[in-house]
Amino acid sequence: VDAFQSWCGPCKTVVDLFRKIRNEVGSDLLRFAGAEVDSIDALEKYRGKCEPVFLFYAGGELVAVVRGVNAPLLQKTILEQL
């Protein structure tokens, strides 16, 4: 989940990375979503930040968090979680 604020918008540069990985591993294993933290109370702790935050969930549980646009770290985290 790309957790973003309305004034900053979703991180569009990472969408291509997720698409690439999703094509490599199969679409059934990986889902990407954006969530505007201003309108979701459960994500309130991510408000007021100007860096993107990527939340990784498995089985409905938060399993990893990556702060900032770090493509190698995002790719590593995705592949580790899969």
Side-chain angles (χ1 to χ4, degrees), residues 55-69:
L55 310 173
F56 295 85
Y57 289 88
E61 299 292 323
L62 182 65
V63 294
V65 176
V66 173
R67 296 180 185 277
V69 180

Side-chain angles (χ1 to χ4, degrees), residues 56 66-67 70-78:
F56 295 85
V66 173
R67 296 180 185 277
N70 180 336
L73 180 57
L74 283 167
Q75 184 166 356
K76 178 183 177 213
T77 303
I78 291 167

Side-chain angles (χ1 to χ4, degrees), residues 4-64:
F4 65 91
Q5 289 192 245
S6 60
W7 55 268
C8 186
C11 186
K12 294 177 178 139
T13 59
V14 174
V15 173
D16 290 336
L17 172 64
F18 280 109
R19 282 189 185 134
K20 176 183 173 277
I21 294 171
R22 186 174 163 182
N23 286 336
E24 291 173 1
V25 300
S27 61
D28 293 338
L29 297 175
L30 182 63
R31 303 263 193 284
F32 178 74
E36 185 180 343
V37 299
D38 296 325
S39 59
I40 302 171
D41 290 337
L43 299 176
E44 182 178 11
K45 68 181 178 180
Y46 300 106
R47 294 178 189 161
K49 311 285 191 275
C50 65
E51 70 179 349
V53 177
F54 300 93
L55 310 173
F56 295 85
Y57 289 88
E61 299 292 323
L62 182 65
V63 294

